Amino acid sequence: MVELANPLYTEWILEAIQKIKRQKQRPSEERICHAVATLHRLDKRTVLEQLELSVHDGSILKVTNKGSVSYKDPDELRHVDWNKILRRAIEGLDDNHGSSLKNIQRYLRNQDDLSHVLDNPGFQQRLRLSAKRAVNNGRLEKNGPLYRLNQGGSGVEGRSQRCPGASPLALQCVTLLPHESDQLRADPIPICSFCLGTKESNRDKRPEQLLSCADCGSSGHPSCLKFSPELTTNVKRLRWQCIECKTCSSCRIQGKNADEMLFCDSCDRGFHMECCNPPLSRMPKGTWVCQVCRPKENGKKLLHKKADEIKRRYAKPIGRPRNKLKHRMSVSSGDGSMLARGGRGSPGRGQKLTVSVTVTVNKKTKGLIDGLSKFFTPSPVGRRSSRAGEILDPSALKGSQSCCPARKKPGTPVKQEPGFVAVSREHVTEEDVEIFTQVQELSSQRNGTMTITNSGRYPAVIEFGKYEIQTWHSSPYPPEYSRLQKLYLCEFCLKYMRCKSILQRHAKKCGWFQPPANEIYRKDDLSVFEVDGNVSKLFCQNLCLLAKLFLDHKTLYYDVEPFLFYILTKNDEKGCHLVGYFSKEKLCQQKYNVSCIMIMPQYQRQGFGRFLIDFSYLLTRQEGQAGSPEKPLSDLGRLSYLAYWKSVMVEYLYKQPDKHISVKGISRATGMCPHDIAATLQHLCMIDRQDGRFVVIRRERLIQRHMEKLRASPRLNQVDPDALHWTPSPRLNQSVV
């Protein structure tokens, strides 16, 4: 007899899974037990038993990814074809202007064959999300709250060609551009950069042809690159470039505005947004096709399209609303007159108008009168609205009676009451501005209420120890902290605070003077600590939030359990000060030895980046295997690693003048993976093909020049292998092998 899970307990576990997901965390066994125990006071043993039974009867899904186990809520709506349902509802309503979501829901609720879908409580939210995705993919058009079918996207179907199974693009045959046919092609590397497989065996142990970059020779399986069969067919006909060598096919400049480069979903060419035809001001959503692969539009249709754009651009509203107030801005000039600036349609925009204002006293109203009385007084004078060209004197609002402006002929000076003083920029000195700025900063430091400026970064400045550092990018701190102009961080525990006074109180109570981990390396004033993300979770999360301020492509903030963090510190009598860090996965099938690396700005250009890279390969050699950084590399990471690989390769060849050299021997001595070695040798022009074999060529002049530079300016900080006190975990080595 099969034992079934208690439905009540299963419901509690599903609630806990949803709560954990809302917190952007992975629903592991530990988190589920903690959430259920907190909400319903259920012990951990019972929760684990009910969780296992729920997995057996299909109430909960168990997912394993990279050695980590998590649980999901099996949603019955995930098998529903929402695009088909939306198309059916819009075609059934048959409204030329479009249909709103309420009308679509009302139509679907009258369909008998969809009763099992409509009864689900998440139907309304899923329908709204599906409509939003359909608009982004080009299947639907949205005009305000109305949705309608996209008549022009029938051939494309709005599907991304990077996804397998997408319908083929109805495009013209791809052809080579003039500058592409004249350039030479690099010798391909017969190893996939992602799965380290060959054309005989890909990630799924199946034979698959490799796509090779025409510039550097790096190769990859189409399945590893997430290319569809149609895109793979088109790329094989072209001079394809990898993501690291990609250049704009229009301006042919590499490295310029890399963040604003678009990749065609038909030929995988790259184009800057300003180089597109027509130029783009923002990133397009869904499928994008370049001007080379885009089908040519009919001339007549294009002419009508341009005419409609011109009509919308120069269209003017007919007539003018009479009962609405015209918002105008009045500025006092030096001669006592007023400057009136009108909106659209006002004659003489920005011209100086000299008008007269008289005060009319409403004698009927008595009692307590203030500046808003004319809006709440039953007198016709008080309710009369100001017309175009009228300006209300600010001194009239300071009186104790209701007033209404009256129009006078131009040329009469404005009458001002005694005691009214116009404050302009001429009356404010630089000393006043400086005093005001100091008081404002002092107030913000005391209560932490200064908001951000127009810098576009959240926060713009951090105070870290004795340094005040300007951030490079935004970081997802909680909203009450990210909206501050300056954020204060403890340099030992990395806790973030709102103001200086809180940081000072925290420093008196904080007992941390080093990272919460074991010290595995020490030489002179440098130390390296190994921090487990599963043990010191809060510290590692704060470290990731700090790193995001200086790394553009970092996406991991809270799920730190599967990672190890190696913290580099500089020591003095006050403690161990953070210099930088790198992280790597505990269980990595690709044998990546670095997932993320960062050096604090105040310690950059001092050799600490190379120190951490060299330290990661030292740990790799201790583990007895070859390693490589996680791909793809960022722009700064690619430059740093390429410079490191070149120097290591040249110094290895200098130390081995007469011995037989092989890629495997270099890999065992340096810890670098064979693919990185082959790519570095190609950059150094030290590899050639002779008689069907690849041969390493020594360039003695290059080697001697490098060693002379190294003797002239020695490196500041180097890793000493004898100072390392660390042994690899047997469990990690067995799991990788």
mmCIF file of all heavy atoms in Angstrom, residues 416-452:
data_model
loop_
_atom_site.group_PDB
_atom_site.id
_atom_site.type_symbol
_atom_site.label_atom_id
_atom_site.label_comp_id
_atom_site.label_asym_id
_atom_site.label_seq_id
_atom_site.Cartn_x
_atom_site.Cartn_y
_atom_site.Cartn_z
ATOM 1 N N GLN A 416 3.274 97.402 -7.012
ATOM 2 C CA GLN A 416 3.644 96.471 -5.958
ATOM 3 C C GLN A 416 3.383 97.098 -4.602
ATOM 4 O O GLN A 416 3.557 98.295 -4.414
ATOM 5 C CB GLN A 416 5.140 96.113 -6.047
ATOM 6 C CG GLN A 416 5.491 95.365 -7.326
ATOM 7 C CD GLN A 416 6.945 94.940 -7.315
ATOM 8 O OE1 GLN A 416 7.680 95.312 -6.411
ATOM 9 N NE2 GLN A 416 7.334 94.185 -8.318
ATOM 10 N N GLU A 417 2.938 96.265 -3.675
ATOM 11 C CA GLU A 417 2.661 96.728 -2.326
ATOM 12 C C GLU A 417 3.959 96.937 -1.566
ATOM 13 O O GLU A 417 4.962 96.258 -1.815
ATOM 14 C CB GLU A 417 1.798 95.700 -1.578
ATOM 15 C CG GLU A 417 0.391 95.601 -2.157
ATOM 16 C CD GLU A 417 -0.451 94.657 -1.336
ATOM 17 O OE1 GLU A 417 0.068 94.142 -0.334
ATOM 18 O OE2 GLU A 417 -1.606 94.452 -1.691
ATOM 19 N N PRO A 418 3.988 97.871 -0.617
ATOM 20 C CA PRO A 418 5.208 98.078 0.190
ATOM 21 C C PRO A 418 5.528 96.827 0.999
ATOM 22 O O PRO A 418 4.638 96.144 1.499
ATOM 23 C CB PRO A 418 4.843 99.253 1.104
ATOM 24 C CG PRO A 418 3.701 99.932 0.420
ATOM 25 C CD PRO A 418 2.949 98.882 -0.307
ATOM 26 N N GLY A 419 6.824 96.531 1.133
ATOM 27 C CA GLY A 419 7.251 95.376 1.923
ATOM 28 C C GLY A 419 7.509 94.139 1.093
ATOM 29 O O GLY A 419 8.048 93.158 1.604
ATOM 30 N N PHE A 420 7.116 94.124 -0.192
ATOM 31 C CA PHE A 420 7.345 92.950 -1.035
ATOM 32 C C PHE A 420 8.724 93.071 -1.690
ATOM 33 O O PHE A 420 9.027 94.050 -2.361
ATOM 34 C CB PHE A 420 6.262 92.865 -2.106
ATOM 35 C CG PHE A 420 6.502 91.764 -3.102
ATOM 36 C CD1 PHE A 420 6.233 90.460 -2.761
ATOM 37 C CD2 PHE A 420 7.020 92.050 -4.362
ATOM 38 C CE1 PHE A 420 6.444 89.458 -3.662
ATOM 39 C CE2 PHE A 420 7.234 91.041 -5.269
ATOM 40 C CZ PHE A 420 6.945 89.734 -4.922
ATOM 41 N N VAL A 421 9.586 92.068 -1.489
ATOM 42 C CA VAL A 421 10.939 92.078 -2.014
ATOM 43 C C VAL A 421 11.102 90.881 -2.937
ATOM 44 O O VAL A 421 10.833 89.739 -2.536
ATOM 45 C CB VAL A 421 11.984 91.998 -0.873
ATOM 46 C CG1 VAL A 421 13.395 91.987 -1.458
ATOM 47 C CG2 VAL A 421 11.789 93.172 0.074
ATOM 48 N N ALA A 422 11.499 91.104 -4.186
ATOM 49 C CA ALA A 422 11.731 90.026 -5.144
ATOM 50 C C ALA A 422 13.127 89.464 -4.938
ATOM 51 O O ALA A 422 14.109 90.199 -4.983
ATOM 52 C CB ALA A 422 11.573 90.549 -6.580
ATOM 53 N N VAL A 423 13.212 88.141 -4.694
ATOM 54 C CA VAL A 423 14.495 87.488 -4.463
ATOM 55 C C VAL A 423 14.950 86.867 -5.772
ATOM 56 O O VAL A 423 14.258 86.019 -6.328
ATOM 57 C CB VAL A 423 14.369 86.405 -3.364
ATOM 58 C CG1 VAL A 423 15.713 85.718 -3.151
ATOM 59 C CG2 VAL A 423 13.862 87.033 -2.079
ATOM 60 N N SER A 424 16.076 87.266 -6.300
ATOM 61 C CA SER A 424 16.611 86.722 -7.539
ATOM 62 C C SER A 424 18.015 86.214 -7.279
ATOM 63 O O SER A 424 18.546 86.274 -6.168
ATOM 64 C CB SER A 424 16.619 87.799 -8.629
ATOM 65 O OG SER A 424 17.482 88.866 -8.257
ATOM 66 N N ARG A 425 18.667 85.719 -8.319
ATOM 67 C CA ARG A 425 20.014 85.167 -8.179
ATOM 68 C C ARG A 425 21.043 86.244 -7.857
ATOM 69 O O ARG A 425 22.122 85.950 -7.346
ATOM 70 C CB ARG A 425 20.397 84.435 -9.467
ATOM 71 C CG ARG A 425 19.493 83.269 -9.812
ATOM 72 C CD ARG A 425 19.966 82.589 -11.082
ATOM 73 N NE ARG A 425 21.283 81.996 -10.904
ATOM 74 C CZ ARG A 425 21.497 80.748 -10.472
ATOM 75 N NH1 ARG A 425 20.469 79.986 -10.179
ATOM 76 N NH2 ARG A 425 22.718 80.275 -10.355
ATOM 77 N N GLU A 426 20.695 87.519 -8.155
ATOM 78 C CA GLU A 426 21.633 88.582 -7.872
ATOM 79 C C GLU A 426 21.782 88.816 -6.373
ATOM 80 O O GLU A 426 22.814 89.300 -5.912
ATOM 81 C CB GLU A 426 21.187 89.862 -8.568
ATOM 82 C CG GLU A 426 21.121 89.736 -10.095
ATOM 83 C CD GLU A 426 20.585 90.996 -10.732
ATOM 84 O OE1 GLU A 426 20.219 91.910 -9.954
ATOM 85 O OE2 GLU A 426 20.529 91.082 -11.962
ATOM 86 N N HIS A 427 20.726 88.490 -5.601
ATOM 87 C CA HIS A 427 20.758 88.727 -4.161
ATOM 88 C C HIS A 427 21.414 87.575 -3.388
ATOM 89 O O HIS A 427 21.620 87.685 -2.181
ATOM 90 C CB HIS A 427 19.342 88.943 -3.622
ATOM 91 C CG HIS A 427 18.647 90.138 -4.226
ATOM 92 N ND1 HIS A 427 18.015 90.077 -5.442
ATOM 93 C CD2 HIS A 427 18.518 91.415 -3.782
ATOM 94 C CE1 HIS A 427 17.492 91.267 -5.717
ATOM 95 N NE2 HIS A 427 17.793 92.097 -4.737
ATOM 96 N N VAL A 428 21.700 86.434 -4.069
ATOM 97 C CA VAL A 428 22.287 85.275 -3.407
ATOM 98 C C VAL A 428 23.768 85.231 -3.737
ATOM 99 O O VAL A 428 24.155 85.170 -4.910
ATOM 100 C CB VAL A 428 21.609 83.974 -3.869
ATOM 101 C CG1 VAL A 428 22.229 82.777 -3.155
ATOM 102 C CG2 VAL A 428 20.111 84.036 -3.587
ATOM 103 N N THR A 429 24.604 85.257 -2.720
ATOM 104 C CA THR A 429 26.051 85.239 -2.912
ATOM 105 C C THR A 429 26.562 83.799 -2.892
ATOM 106 O O THR A 429 25.843 82.865 -2.508
ATOM 107 C CB THR A 429 26.739 86.056 -1.816
ATOM 108 O OG1 THR A 429 26.453 85.446 -0.539
ATOM 109 C CG2 THR A 429 26.231 87.491 -1.817
ATOM 110 N N GLU A 430 27.819 83.642 -3.273
ATOM 111 C CA GLU A 430 28.435 82.317 -3.258
ATOM 112 C C GLU A 430 28.588 81.797 -1.838
ATOM 113 O O GLU A 430 28.521 80.594 -1.586
ATOM 114 C CB GLU A 430 29.793 82.373 -3.950
ATOM 115 C CG GLU A 430 29.718 82.711 -5.436
ATOM 116 C CD GLU A 430 31.095 82.709 -6.075
ATOM 117 O OE1 GLU A 430 32.083 82.480 -5.334
ATOM 118 O OE2 GLU A 430 31.172 82.934 -7.299
ATOM 119 N N GLU A 431 28.792 82.681 -0.901
ATOM 120 C CA GLU A 431 28.899 82.266 0.497
ATOM 121 C C GLU A 431 27.581 81.676 0.994
ATOM 122 O O GLU A 431 27.566 80.685 1.732
ATOM 123 C CB GLU A 431 29.307 83.467 1.353
ATOM 124 C CG GLU A 431 29.539 83.117 2.828
ATOM 125 C CD GLU A 431 29.939 84.335 3.638
ATOM 126 O OE1 GLU A 431 30.035 85.440 3.040
ATOM 127 O OE2 GLU A 431 30.143 84.178 4.847
ATOM 128 N N ASP A 432 26.448 82.290 0.562
ATOM 129 C CA ASP A 432 25.143 81.742 0.950
ATOM 130 C C ASP A 432 24.951 80.340 0.385
ATOM 131 O O ASP A 432 24.450 79.435 1.071
ATOM 132 C CB ASP A 432 24.024 82.668 0.449
ATOM 133 C CG ASP A 432 24.108 84.048 1.090
ATOM 134 O OD1 ASP A 432 24.684 84.137 2.198
ATOM 135 O OD2 ASP A 432 23.617 85.024 0.484
ATOM 136 N N VAL A 433 25.339 80.139 -0.875
ATOM 137 C CA VAL A 433 25.199 78.817 -1.486
ATOM 138 C C VAL A 433 26.072 77.796 -0.777
ATOM 139 O O VAL A 433 25.663 76.653 -0.521
ATOM 140 C CB VAL A 433 25.545 78.899 -2.990
ATOM 141 C CG1 VAL A 433 25.508 77.507 -3.615
ATOM 142 C CG2 VAL A 433 24.587 79.833 -3.718
ATOM 143 N N GLU A 434 27.291 78.177 -0.413
ATOM 144 C CA GLU A 434 28.193 77.257 0.269
ATOM 145 C C GLU A 434 27.663 76.884 1.655
ATOM 146 O O GLU A 434 27.703 75.719 2.054
ATOM 147 C CB GLU A 434 29.568 77.902 0.384
ATOM 148 C CG GLU A 434 30.627 76.984 0.978
ATOM 149 C CD GLU A 434 31.988 77.642 1.036
ATOM 150 O OE1 GLU A 434 32.104 78.791 0.518
ATOM 151 O OE2 GLU A 434 32.922 77.028 1.585
ATOM 152 N N ILE A 435 27.133 77.872 2.382
ATOM 153 C CA ILE A 435 26.569 77.582 3.711
ATOM 154 C C ILE A 435 25.367 76.660 3.583
ATOM 155 O O ILE A 435 25.197 75.711 4.355
ATOM 156 C CB ILE A 435 26.186 78.901 4.417
ATOM 157 C CG1 ILE A 435 27.454 79.708 4.743
ATOM 158 C CG2 ILE A 435 25.394 78.614 5.689
ATOM 159 C CD1 ILE A 435 27.168 81.073 5.335
ATOM 160 N N PHE A 436 24.505 76.927 2.581
ATOM 161 C CA PHE A 436 23.330 76.077 2.387
ATOM 162 C C PHE A 436 23.736 74.637 2.042
ATOM 163 O O PHE A 436 23.147 73.671 2.547
ATOM 164 C CB PHE A 436 22.460 76.654 1.269
ATOM 165 C CG PHE A 436 21.278 75.797 0.906
ATOM 166 C CD1 PHE A 436 20.147 75.766 1.699
ATOM 167 C CD2 PHE A 436 21.316 75.008 -0.228
ATOM 168 C CE1 PHE A 436 19.072 74.969 1.371
ATOM 169 C CE2 PHE A 436 20.243 74.217 -0.569
ATOM 170 C CZ PHE A 436 19.120 74.194 0.233
ATOM 171 N N THR A 437 24.766 74.462 1.194
ATOM 172 C CA THR A 437 25.214 73.120 0.822
ATOM 173 C C THR A 437 25.782 72.378 2.025
ATOM 174 O O THR A 437 25.516 71.180 2.217
ATOM 175 C CB THR A 437 26.269 73.220 -0.289
ATOM 176 O OG1 THR A 437 25.737 73.975 -1.383
ATOM 177 C CG2 THR A 437 26.670 71.840 -0.783
ATOM 178 N N GLN A 438 26.564 73.071 2.869
ATOM 179 C CA GLN A 438 27.126 72.422 4.051
ATOM 180 C C GLN A 438 26.040 71.987 5.023
ATOM 181 O O GLN A 438 26.089 70.888 5.581
ATOM 182 C CB GLN A 438 28.105 73.372 4.738
ATOM 183 C CG GLN A 438 29.362 73.664 3.924
ATOM 184 C CD GLN A 438 30.274 74.654 4.617
ATOM 185 O OE1 GLN A 438 29.955 75.156 5.701
ATOM 186 N NE2 GLN A 438 31.421 74.953 3.992
ATOM 187 N N VAL A 439 25.045 72.856 5.235
ATOM 188 C CA VAL A 439 23.954 72.497 6.145
ATOM 189 C C VAL A 439 23.160 71.322 5.590
ATOM 190 O O VAL A 439 22.745 70.419 6.332
ATOM 191 C CB VAL A 439 23.047 73.726 6.374
ATOM 192 C CG1 VAL A 439 21.805 73.335 7.151
ATOM 193 C CG2 VAL A 439 23.802 74.811 7.117
ATOM 194 N N GLN A 440 22.954 71.317 4.282
ATOM 195 C CA GLN A 440 22.214 70.218 3.668
ATOM 196 C C GLN A 440 22.963 68.895 3.809
ATOM 197 O O GLN A 440 22.367 67.857 4.128
ATOM 198 C CB GLN A 440 21.964 70.525 2.193
ATOM 199 C CG GLN A 440 21.008 69.555 1.510
ATOM 200 C CD GLN A 440 20.799 69.918 0.057
ATOM 201 O OE1 GLN A 440 21.670 70.496 -0.576
ATOM 202 N NE2 GLN A 440 19.646 69.588 -0.485
ATOM 203 N N GLU A 441 24.282 68.897 3.588
ATOM 204 C CA GLU A 441 25.065 67.675 3.753
ATOM 205 C C GLU A 441 25.089 67.212 5.202
ATOM 206 O O GLU A 441 25.005 66.015 5.484
ATOM 207 C CB GLU A 441 26.491 67.919 3.251
ATOM 208 C CG GLU A 441 26.592 68.112 1.753
ATOM 209 C CD GLU A 441 28.020 68.352 1.317
ATOM 210 O OE1 GLU A 441 28.888 68.437 2.219
ATOM 211 O OE2 GLU A 441 28.266 68.458 0.099
ATOM 212 N N LEU A 442 25.214 68.158 6.139
ATOM 213 C CA LEU A 442 25.214 67.797 7.552
ATOM 214 C C LEU A 442 23.887 67.174 7.957
ATOM 215 O O LEU A 442 23.838 66.186 8.697
ATOM 216 C CB LEU A 442 25.508 69.041 8.398
ATOM 217 C CG LEU A 442 25.599 68.834 9.912
ATOM 218 C CD1 LEU A 442 26.725 67.866 10.248
ATOM 219 C CD2 LEU A 442 25.804 70.155 10.622
ATOM 220 N N SER A 443 22.791 67.728 7.460
ATOM 221 C CA SER A 443 21.480 67.171 7.770
ATOM 222 C C SER A 443 21.317 65.783 7.189
ATOM 223 O O SER A 443 20.750 64.886 7.828
ATOM 224 C CB SER A 443 20.390 68.105 7.225
ATOM 225 O OG SER A 443 19.106 67.551 7.409
ATOM 226 N N SER A 444 21.825 65.586 5.968
ATOM 227 C CA SER A 444 21.688 64.266 5.345
ATOM 228 C C SER A 444 22.533 63.226 6.061
ATOM 229 O O SER A 444 22.148 62.065 6.161
ATOM 230 C CB SER A 444 22.089 64.346 3.872
ATOM 231 O OG SER A 444 23.454 64.700 3.762
ATOM 232 N N GLN A 445 23.709 63.618 6.575
ATOM 233 C CA GLN A 445 24.540 62.665 7.298
ATOM 234 C C GLN A 445 23.930 62.255 8.624
ATOM 235 O O GLN A 445 24.120 61.137 9.085
ATOM 236 C CB GLN A 445 25.931 63.265 7.531
ATOM 237 C CG GLN A 445 26.757 63.423 6.251
ATOM 238 C CD GLN A 445 28.097 64.047 6.522
ATOM 239 O OE1 GLN A 445 28.444 64.315 7.671
ATOM 240 N NE2 GLN A 445 28.863 64.291 5.461
ATOM 241 N N ARG A 446 23.184 63.161 9.227
ATOM 242 C CA ARG A 446 22.584 62.835 10.526
ATOM 243 C C ARG A 446 21.381 61.914 10.399
ATOM 244 O O ARG A 446 21.209 61.002 11.193
ATOM 245 C CB ARG A 446 22.190 64.119 11.248
ATOM 246 C CG ARG A 446 23.394 64.927 11.738
ATOM 247 C CD ARG A 446 22.956 66.152 12.528
ATOM 248 N NE ARG A 446 24.108 66.872 13.059
ATOM 249 C CZ ARG A 446 24.009 67.983 13.773
ATOM 250 N NH1 ARG A 446 22.809 68.502 14.035
ATOM 251 N NH2 ARG A 446 25.102 68.580 14.218
ATOM 252 N N ASN A 447 20.543 62.165 9.404
ATOM 253 C CA ASN A 447 19.325 61.346 9.291
ATOM 254 C C ASN A 447 19.305 60.473 8.065
ATOM 255 O O ASN A 447 18.374 59.692 7.885
ATOM 256 C CB ASN A 447 18.066 62.225 9.291
ATOM 257 C CG ASN A 447 18.154 63.346 8.270
ATOM 258 O OD1 ASN A 447 18.888 63.246 7.304
ATOM 259 N ND2 ASN A 447 17.404 64.409 8.498
ATOM 260 N N GLY A 448 20.321 60.570 7.178
ATOM 261 C CA GLY A 448 20.389 59.707 6.012
ATOM 262 C C GLY A 448 19.234 59.859 5.070
ATOM 263 O O GLY A 448 18.657 58.870 4.635
ATOM 264 N N THR A 449 18.864 61.074 4.734
ATOM 265 C CA THR A 449 17.708 61.302 3.878
ATOM 266 C C THR A 449 18.063 61.937 2.552
ATOM 267 O O THR A 449 17.176 62.313 1.808
ATOM 268 C CB THR A 449 16.701 62.221 4.577
ATOM 269 O OG1 THR A 449 17.358 63.447 4.935
ATOM 270 C CG2 THR A 449 16.130 61.555 5.801
ATOM 271 N N MET A 450 19.342 62.108 2.220
ATOM 272 C CA MET A 450 19.697 62.723 0.943
ATOM 273 C C MET A 450 19.438 61.726 -0.171
ATOM 274 O O MET A 450 19.938 60.605 -0.143
ATOM 275 C CB MET A 450 21.163 63.145 0.946
ATOM 276 C CG MET A 450 21.572 63.827 -0.357
ATOM 277 S SD MET A 450 23.295 64.303 -0.388
ATOM 278 C CE MET A 450 23.279 65.637 0.782
ATOM 279 N N THR A 451 18.679 62.104 -1.135
ATOM 280 C CA THR A 451 18.369 61.235 -2.250
ATOM 281 C C THR A 451 19.435 61.382 -3.313
ATOM 282 O O THR A 451 20.315 62.219 -3.247
ATOM 283 C CB THR A 451 16.991 61.579 -2.833
ATOM 284 O OG1 THR A 451 16.991 62.962 -3.200
ATOM 285 C CG2 THR A 451 15.910 61.343 -1.813
ATOM 286 N N ILE A 452 19.311 60.578 -4.342
ATOM 287 C CA ILE A 452 20.334 60.544 -5.367
ATOM 288 C C ILE A 452 20.200 61.730 -6.286
ATOM 289 O O ILE A 452 19.164 62.364 -6.374
ATOM 290 C CB ILE A 452 20.229 59.240 -6.172
ATOM 291 C CG1 ILE A 452 18.878 59.206 -6.903
ATOM 292 C CG2 ILE A 452 20.364 58.045 -5.304
ATOM 293 C CD1 ILE A 452 18.794 58.130 -7.922
#
